[in-house]
C-alpha cells in the first residue's frame, strides 16, 4: 500500500506541480522520500524557508496551479510565514506542507512544538492536521481546492508519525478542482453604468491587473470614450504596450500625466483595480467601478455605480451600450503630458546627462563620483531583455525604476510583492519563475537591502542550476525609507547599508558576478549579463541621491526634503 506521503505527492504531480520548495527534516522525511521517487517533481532545497514560500508563490502566480512549499516542525514552518503572507495577499494558490510533533506528543509543549492552527490562522484559507490515513483523499482535496478556489494559502500539517503510514486499500489519488468560471455582470447594473457614462463629459479610466485578460475590450472602451488610461503597476502586464490611451501610473511611483488625467475628468471608470492609495484618487468625480470581486467595490474610493463582473465579460457587454464621445481634448492633453514626461525621463538614461536644479524638489542631483543613475540601468535592462522575459522586482526604489523604464511588451511577465510590500521577494520569486522554465529569461530587479536579506539563497540558484539574472541597484542604502524620512523632514538615520562587493560574493558562491561603477559601462554589462548561460549577479553601484518625483509633489514634501538635507549636513559636519 502507498503511504500518506506517497499519495499526497502523487496528487501534486497529477495536478502539474513540478517543484516543491523547502528545507528537509523530521516529520517531512517521508514526503521528501516520496518526492525523491516521483520523477515528475523536483525537490528544491532552499537555505531559508521564506525563499521557498516566495518561490512557490511566484510559480502559483505564473501557472495558476498550486505552488508548494514545506517547512519542518516549529521553526521551519515559522520561517515560511512571510512568503505565505505574500501569497495570500497576491491571491496565489499555495499549499504549505508543515511538520508537527508525533501525534502522541501534541499538546505537551514538546521540543519544537508550535500550534500550527494558531500560527497560520490569519494567513491560511484552510488548515488541517492529517491525523490518520483514512482522511485521504478528502482532506488533501479540500486543502488543494480551498487554495485554488479561494486563491490563497492552504496548510496541511503532518505529525511526525503520520507521513509514513499506509493508506487503506482502494484510496484514490486526490484530485483538485481547477475551473474558475468568469462572473458575468448583471444586466441592470450594466445599463445604469452605460447611462451615466453616456451622460458624462470627459472620462478617465483606471485599469488594473483584473483586466489583464481583457486587453482588446479595454482598448475598445477607451477608444469609444476617448479616455486617457492610467494603468496600475500590476496592470502593466498586457495593458501598457502599444496602447495609445495609456498615461502611465499614479501613486508615488507614478507620473504627472496621471494627475492630468485624474484632475481633468468628469467621470472615473475603474476596471479590475484595487489601487489602494486613497490620496491619489481625484475628488468630486462620478465613479463607476467594475470588479469581479464585489467586496472590492468602494473600499478605496467612494463609488457611484458598481458593476460586479469579470472585466472581459463586462466591458464586452458594456461596449455596445456606449456612445462615441466626440471630445478627445482630455486624452490629447494627458497624452502630451505623458510624452513630455517620458522625453524628460529618457534624458536621465543618457550616461552623460547632468540634471540641472529646478524648483525645490529638483535640486541638482549630487553625483560627485559619477555613480550610475538607476534610471539608466533600468532602461538598459528594458532595451536588452527578451520579449518573453519574466521580471521580478523588490519592494523599494527598484519598483519605481521598473515602473518607469521597463515596458511590459510582448509576453513579458511581472511579479513583485505588490500587496504585502515585503522586501527580499525579487530573488526568490525569480528562482521560482526560472525553475518552471530554465530556458526563459528571468530578470530580478533587486535592492541591495532586499537581496542581502535572503542572501543565502543565492546558493539555491547555483545548486539547482537556475540561470536567473539578478540586477542589483546597489545604492548602499535602504533608499525608499531614506526618501520617506527626508520627505517628512527627518534625517535619514539608520538607512545606510555597509555592503561587500556583491559581485565577488556571487563569484565565491559559483555565479558569474559583474560589478559596474561607470555609467558608460552599464549598457555593455547588462548585455553581457543577459547573454550568459548560467546565473549572474550584476552589481551596479547606483547613485543613492537619485530621487523620484511623484505625480503631484507637495510643498510639505519639498520643505521636508530641505529640512532633512540641512539636518544631515549639520550631522555630517560634527
Ligand atoms: C521585510 C521588510 N522589512 C522592512 C520593510 C520596510 N522597507 C520598505 S522599502 C525598504 C528599503 C529597501 O531597501 P533596498 O532593498 O536597498 O531598496 P532601495 O529602496 O534602496 O532601492 C524598507 C526597509 C519592508 N517593506 N519589508
Ligand atoms: Mg538600496
Amino acid at each position: 500500500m502507498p503511504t500518506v506521503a506517497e499519495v499526497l505527492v502523487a496528487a501534486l504531480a497529477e495536478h502539474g506541480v513540478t517543484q516543491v520548495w523547502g528545507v528537509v527534516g523530521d516529520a517531512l522525511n517521508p514526503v521528501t522520500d516520496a518526492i525523491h521517487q516521483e520523477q515528475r517533481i523536483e525537490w528544491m532545497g532552499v537555505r531559508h524557508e521564506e525563499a521557498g514560500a516566495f518561490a512557490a508563490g511566484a510559480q502559483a502566480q505564473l501557472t495558476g496551479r498550486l505552488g508548494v512549499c514545506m517547512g519542518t516542525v516549529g521553526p521551519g514552518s515559522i520561517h515560511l510565514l512571510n512568503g505565505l503572507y505574500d501569497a495570500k495577499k497576491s491571491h496565489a494558490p499555495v499549499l504549505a506542507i508543515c511538520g508537527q510533533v508525533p501525534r502522541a506528543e501534541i499538546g505537551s509543549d514538546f521540543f519544537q512544538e508550535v500550534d500550527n492552527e494558531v500560527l497560520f490562522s490569519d494567513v491560511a484559507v484552510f488548515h488541517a492536521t492529517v491525523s490518520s490515513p483514512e482522511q485521504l483523499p478528502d482532506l488533501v482535496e479540500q486543502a488543494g481546492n480551498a487554495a485554488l478556489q479561494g486563491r490563497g494559502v492552504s496548510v496541511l500539517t503532518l505529525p511526525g508519525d503520520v507521513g509514513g503510514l499506509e493508506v487503506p486499500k482502494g484510496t484514490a489519488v486526490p484530485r483538485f478542482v481547477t475551473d474558475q468560471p468568469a462572473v458575468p455582470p448583471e444586466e441592470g447594473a450594466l445599463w445604469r453604468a452605460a447611462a451615466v457614462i453616456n451622460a458624462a463629459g470627459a472620462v478617465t479610466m483606471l485599469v488594473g491587473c483584473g483586466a489583464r485578460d481583457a486587453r482588446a475590450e479595454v482598448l475598445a472602451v477607451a477608444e469609444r470614450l476617448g479616455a486617457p488610461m492610467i494603468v496600475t503597476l500590476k496592470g502593466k502586464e498586457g495593458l501598457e504596450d502599444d496602447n495609445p490611451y495609456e498615461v502611465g501610473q499614479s501613486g508615488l511611483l507614478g507620473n504627472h500625466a496621471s494627475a492630468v488625467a485624474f484632475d481633468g475628468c468628469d467621470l472615473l471608470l475603474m476596471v479590475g483595480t484595487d489601487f489602494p492609495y486613497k490620496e491619489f484618487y481625484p475628488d468630486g468625480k462620478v465613479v463607476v467601478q467594475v470588479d469581479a470581486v464585489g467586496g472590492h467595490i468602494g473600499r478605496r474610493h467612494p463609488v457611484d455605480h458598481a458593476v460586479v463582473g469579470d472585466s472581459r465579460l463586462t466591458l464586452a457587454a458594456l461596449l455596445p451600450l456606449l456612445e462615441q464621445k466626440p471630445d478627445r481634448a482630455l486624452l490629447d492633453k494627458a497624452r502630451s503630458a505623458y510624452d513630455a514626461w517620458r522625453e524628460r525621463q529618457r534624458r536621465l538614461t543618457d550616461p552623460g546627462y547632468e540634471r540641472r536644479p529646478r524648483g525645490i524638489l529638483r535640486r541638482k542631483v549630487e553625483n560627485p563620483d559619477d555613480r550610475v543613475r538607476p534610471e539608466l540601468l533600468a532602461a538598459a535592462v528594458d532595451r536588452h531583455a527578451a520579449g518573453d522575459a519574466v521580471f521580478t522586482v523588490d519592494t523599494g526604489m527598484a519598483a519605481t525604476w521598473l515602473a518607469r523604464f521597463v515596458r511590459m511588451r510582448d509576453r513579458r511577465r511581472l511579479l513583485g510583492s505588490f500587496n504585502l510590500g515585503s522586501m527580499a521577494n525579487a530573488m526568490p520569486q525569480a528562482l521560482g519563475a526560472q525553475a518552471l522554465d530554465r530556458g526563459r529569461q528571468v530578470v530580478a530587479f533587486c535592492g541591495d537591502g532586499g537581496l542581502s536579506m535572503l542572501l543565502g539563497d543565492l546558493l539555491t540558484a547555483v545548486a539547482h542550476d537556475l540561470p536567473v539574472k539578478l540586477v542589483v541597484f546597489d545604492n548602499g542604502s535602504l533608499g525608499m525609507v531614506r526618501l520617506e524620512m527626508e520627505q517628512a523632514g527627518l534625517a535619514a538615520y539608520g538607512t545606510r547599508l555597509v555592503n561587500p562587493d556583491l559581485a565577488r560574493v556571487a563569484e565565491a558562491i559559483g555565479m558569474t558576478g559583474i560589478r559596474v561603477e561607470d555609467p558608460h559601462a552599464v549598457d555593455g554589462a547588462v548585455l553581457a549579463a543577459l547573454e550568459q548561460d548560467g546565473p549572474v549577479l550584476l552589481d551596479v553601484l547606483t547613485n543613492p541621491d537619485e530621487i523620484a518625483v511623484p505625480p503631484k509633489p507637495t510643498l510639505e514634501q519639498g520643505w521636508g526634503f530641505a529640512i532633512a538635507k540641512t539636518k544631515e549636513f549639520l550631522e555630517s559636519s560634527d
Side-chain angles (χ1 to χ4, degrees):
M1 278 309 113
T3 63
V4 166
E6 285 163 352
V7 172
L8 170 60
V9 169
L12 299 178
E14 285 296 318
H15 172 61
V17 171
T18 48
Q19 280 91 20
V20 173
W21 303 79
V23 175
V24 296
D26 54 63
L28 301 178
N29 291 344
V31 184
T32 30
D33 187 53
I35 291 172
H36 189 194
Q37 311 299 330
E38 172 54 74
Q39 300 296 315
R40 293 169 290 179
I41 300 187
E42 198 180 352
W43 170 250
M44 305 299 281
V46 290
R47 302 303 173 112
H48 191 304
E49 292 85 351
E50 180 177 331
F54 270 126
Q59 295 195 319
Q61 288 176 71
L62 290 171
T63 64
R65 293 190 296 271
L66 290 173
V68 185
C69 55
M70 307 210 302
T72 57
V73 180
S77 294
I78 294 169
H79 265 189
L80 290 172
L81 263 182
N82 194 48
L84 293 183
Y85 265 102
D86 187 71
K88 166 192 162 119
K89 289 185 68 87
S90 300
H91 314 294
V94 166
L95 175 67
I97 303 167
C98 294
Q100 184 52 286
V101 300
R103 285 172 296 178
E105 307 293 351
I106 290 177
S108 69
D109 192 20
F110 197 64
F111 174 64
Q112 292 194 318
E113 183 182 3
V114 298
D115 186 342
N116 283 1
E117 182 76 52
V118 176
L119 181 69
F120 295 110
S121 62
D122 182 45
V123 74
V125 288
F126 178 90
H127 172 258
T129 300
V130 187
S131 50
S132 94
E134 284 74 24
Q135 289 171 296
L136 268 63
D138 324 13
L139 202 59
V140 173
E141 287 187 348
Q142 271 193 73
N145 291 342
L148 288 161
Q149 296 298 323
R151 296 198 305 159
V153 174
S154 279
V155 178
L156 272 180
T157 289
L158 215 51
D161 55 335
V162 170
L165 295 177
E166 291 187 353
V167 296
K169 194 163 180 288
T171 301
V173 173
R175 287 188 309 181
F176 306 120
V177 180
T178 51
D179 292 5
Q180 294 207 314
V183 187
E186 269 188 8
E187 195 99 340
L190 264 185
W191 281 96
R192 284 191 294 277
V196 285
I197 295 172
N198 286 336
V203 176
T204 286
M205 295 173 75
L206 173 65
V207 185
C209 68
R212 185 188 287 150
D213 298 325
R215 179 185 159 86
E217 291 76 10
V218 167
L219 291 180
V221 168
E223 166 57 29
R224 182 73 48 90
L225 301 176
M229 188 190 302
I230 299 160
V231 173
T232 66
L233 177 58
K234 289 196 291 177
K236 274 169 74 84
E237 278 182 321
L239 286 171
E240 75 172 352
D241 191 33
D242 204 11
N243 176 348
Y245 311 96
E246 189 247 344
V247 296
Q249 278 79 67
S250 181
L252 273 180
L253 46 66
N255 80 93
H256 168 64
S258 67
V260 172
F262 268 153
D263 290 347
C265 74
D266 300 302
L267 183 144
L268 175 64
L269 174 58
M270 297 168 62
V271 185
T273 177
D274 195 29
F275 180 71
Y277 305 105
K278 289 195 165 88
E279 65 274 27
F280 287 91
Y281 283 89
D283 291 327
K285 316 289 179 189
V286 177
V287 178
V288 177
Q289 184 176 5
V290 175
D291 204 294
V293 183
H296 287 178
I297 304 284
R299 72 172 173 175
R300 308 301 180 194
H301 191 71
V303 167
D304 300 289
H305 297 275
V307 187
V308 177
D310 167 75
S311 298
R312 199 170 55 76
L313 296 181
T314 304
L315 295 190
L318 189 61
L319 188 65
L321 309 179
L322 295 178
E323 291 157 13
Q324 181 75 43
K325 288 209 188 284
D327 184 356
R328 297 169 85 87
L330 180 62
L331 174 60
D332 293 343
K333 188 174 166 200
R335 281 291 288 187
S336 0
Y338 188 45
D339 289 344
W341 176 78
R342 286 184 74 185
E343 176 51 29
R344 288 197 299 278
Q345 293 288 304
R346 200 192 53 72
R347 275 186 263 151
L348 296 175
T349 69
D350 174 348
Y353 180 73
E354 277 261 346
R355 184 148 54 178
R356 296 274 157 239
R358 186 158 72 82
I360 197 146
L361 273 178
R362 303 277 183 85
R363 79 215 150 85
K364 183 174 188 305
V365 175
E366 294 146 31
N367 211 8
D369 47 4
D370 287 329
R371 288 178 94 170
V372 176
R373 282 210 170 83
E375 293 96 332
L376 160 67
L377 174 58
V381 177
D382 180 52
R383 229 176 1 261
H384 296 301
D388 68 343
V390 179
F391 287 89
T392 65
V393 61
D394 266 342
T395 301
M397 295 307 292
T400 303
W401 313 131
L402 179 128
R404 294 185 173 187
F405 293 95
V406 180
R407 302 292 288 178
M408 286 295 127
R409 59 182 163 86
D410 302 338
R411 291 186 299 116
R412 286 180 173 180
R413 295 295 315 263
L414 174 61
L415 297 172
S417 179
F418 297 130
N419 293 357
L420 180 62
S422 173
M423 287 170 68
N425 58 289
M427 185 265 286
Q429 287 179 326
L431 299 178
Q434 191 75 80
L436 290 173
D437 180 355
R438 286 177 168 83
R440 189 168 181 179
Q441 192 177 76
V442 178
V443 184
F445 271 36
C446 305
D448 48 343
L451 183 86
S452 53
M453 209 172 242
L454 286 175
L455 192 70
D457 272 286
L458 288 182
L459 293 157
T460 306
V462 177
H464 291 282
D465 193 20
L466 299 169
V468 288
K469 309 298 180 241
L470 308 173
V471 179
V472 186
F473 289 75
D474 190 350
N475 55 7
S477 138
L478 297 167
M480 198 170 91
V481 176
R482 180 181 163 178
L483 186 61
E484 225 170 70
M485 289 177 172
E486 289 181 339
Q487 285 186 346
L490 302 169
Y493 182 67
T495 57
R496 199 165 85 86
L497 295 176
V498 179
N499 290 330
D501 178 332
L502 288 166
R504 284 179 58 197
V505 170
E507 288 282 339
I509 278 173
M511 307 173 76
T512 300
I514 305 174
R515 187 165 168 100
V516 179
E517 301 183 21
D518 173 6
H520 295 276
V522 169
D523 196 74
V526 166
L527 198 57
L530 294 178
E531 280 177 352
Q532 281 279 335
D533 287 336
V536 181
L537 188 153
L538 179 63
D539 180 24
V540 184
L541 294 194
T542 51
N543 182 7
D545 291 320
E546 197 68 24
I547 56 167
V549 183
K552 278 198 219 173
T554 62
L555 201 57
E556 293 84 65
Q557 286 169 339
W559 275 118
F561 218 91
I563 294 164
K565 283 289 150 198
T566 313
K567 283 184 187 163
E568 284 162 23
F569 173 76
L570 292 175
E571 281 167 17
S572 67
S573 49
D574 279 348

